Amino acid sequence: MAFQPIVSVRDRTITAYEALMRSTDQAMGRPDLMLGAAERLGRLDDLGRAVRSAVAKDASRAPAGIRLFVNLHAQDLSDETLFDPSAPLSQIASRVVLEITERASLDHITDLQERIGRLRGLGYRIAVDDLGAGYAGLSALALLEPDVVKLDMTIARDIDASATRQHIVRSMAGLCTGMKMELLAEGVETGAERDTLVACGCDVLQGYHFGRPAFGFESIPSDRWGPQ
Ligand code: G
Ligand code: MN
């Protein structure tokens, strides 16, 4: 697994890392290629279990008190091992935020809300990933009542030059405050994007500007935080 930092700009601290699967196999260079192969081979459950075990193992090396964000495939929600209290990741559930992407179809999952409730019962928190990229964005909020909302990186891109996207983030920040959800913007690549997002009320950020996914828990270069 590679890990990418998630930061609070106001506090100038790393609050979490997102775990991202990586393969050394040239043909499997990107997660979507690995997921596609697993899907074709009928082995999505095996891949999901391997990812969750690997994260649980790496977590012992993560800085204390730091949360870990772990991506779920929609099909993982139908795998009983995800809900097993003795599974490796369940042991550290209180430190884990499970990301559910609205791009993955959640429609065909029976008892979705009951399943999410069971995950919360184990201590997991829930994030909606890539909000704003798919077709069902806001309905995913109503369906999952997530603890964390991750705005798709298309929202952050050049936001300093887009009054419209600034309005969207301000509105989302208000909505998230009202619903007691944490708002996070992904794909932050420049200082201008960082400063604009913070000014719009989104202080928890992730992106190449702060750190690329790396094999290990890397720190943030001190020049990335911007003006005090
Ligand atoms: O779907 P999800 O949000 O989990 O995808 C995260 C992906 O985005 C990872 O593969 C990661 O390498 C990539 N990523 C992370 N930060 C940035 C960024 O600042 N810019 C771009 N273009 N990609 C990023
Ligand atoms: Mn993600």
Side-chain angles (χ1 to χ4, degrees):
M1 302 304 296
F3 294 89
Q4 185 179 32
I6 296 172
V7 306
S8 162
V9 177
R10 206 180 308 128
D11 299 340
R12 297 189 169 226
T13 57
I14 296 171
T15 71
Y17 287 85
E18 178 175 358
L20 295 155
M21 66 166 104
R22 288 290 182 267
S23 171
T24 50
D25 188 320
Q26 293 264 305
M28 294 286 144
R30 297 198 320 264
D32 54 313
L33 296 174
M34 262 187 282
L35 287 163
E39 203 161 347
R40 287 192 298 280
L41 295 166
R43 297 193 57 189
L44 274 172
D45 284 355
D46 289 327
L47 183 57
R49 289 171 200 174
V51 163
R52 295 195 294 277
S53 298
V55 173
K57 194 158 159 277
D58 288 342
S60 57
R61 292 186 289 111
I66 301 283
R67 296 171 297 166
L68 296 170
F69 282 62
V70 180
N71 292 282
L72 290 186
H73 187 282
Q75 191 170 313
D76 290 322
L77 289 164
S78 303
D79 179 1
E80 277 308 314
T81 70
L82 176 65
F83 305 90
D84 181 352
S86 65
L89 199 64
S90 304
Q91 309 308 308
I92 56 160
S94 62
R95 290 182 69 186
V96 174
V97 182
L98 296 173
E99 298 190 9
I100 299 173
T101 177
E102 49 145 334
R103 269 187 303 218
S105 172
L106 298 173
D107 299 341
H108 65 276
I109 299 166
T110 49
D111 315 325
L112 178 63
Q113 278 164 325
E114 184 265 339
R115 285 172 184 272
I116 297 292
R118 276 160 71 194
L119 292 174
R120 288 209 163 97
L122 290 171
Y124 288 113
R125 273 158 289 174
I126 305 295
V128 165
D129 200 6
D130 304 321
L131 190 81
Y135 58 92
L138 294 174
S139 65
L141 296 188
L143 193 63
L144 298 172
E145 296 177 9
D147 307 278
V148 183
V149 174
K150 296 188 79 173
L151 294 176
D152 188 68
M153 58 178 84
T154 54
I155 306 276
R157 188 64 56 251
D158 297 322
I159 189 169
D160 44 301
S162 167
T164 304
R165 289 208 290 283
Q166 291 169 30
H167 277 300
I168 291 172
V169 173
R170 274 198 207 92
S171 305
M172 283 303 300
L175 178 71
C176 287
T177 303
M179 291 180 72
K180 297 191 167 42
M181 301 184 298
E182 179 179 349
L183 183 65
L184 189 162
E186 288 189 277
V188 179
E189 293 186 352
T190 68
E193 290 170 354
R194 171 199 66 208
D195 294 343
T196 308
L197 284 159
V198 172
C200 292
C202 182
D203 158 67
V204 183
L205 306 181
Q206 178 182 356
Y208 293 167
H209 177 71
F210 298 101
R212 290 182 176 253
F215 296 113
F217 299 93
E218 295 199 340
S219 51
I220 311 288
S222 57
D223 63 349
R224 303 305 155 86
W225 298 109
Q228 203 113 39

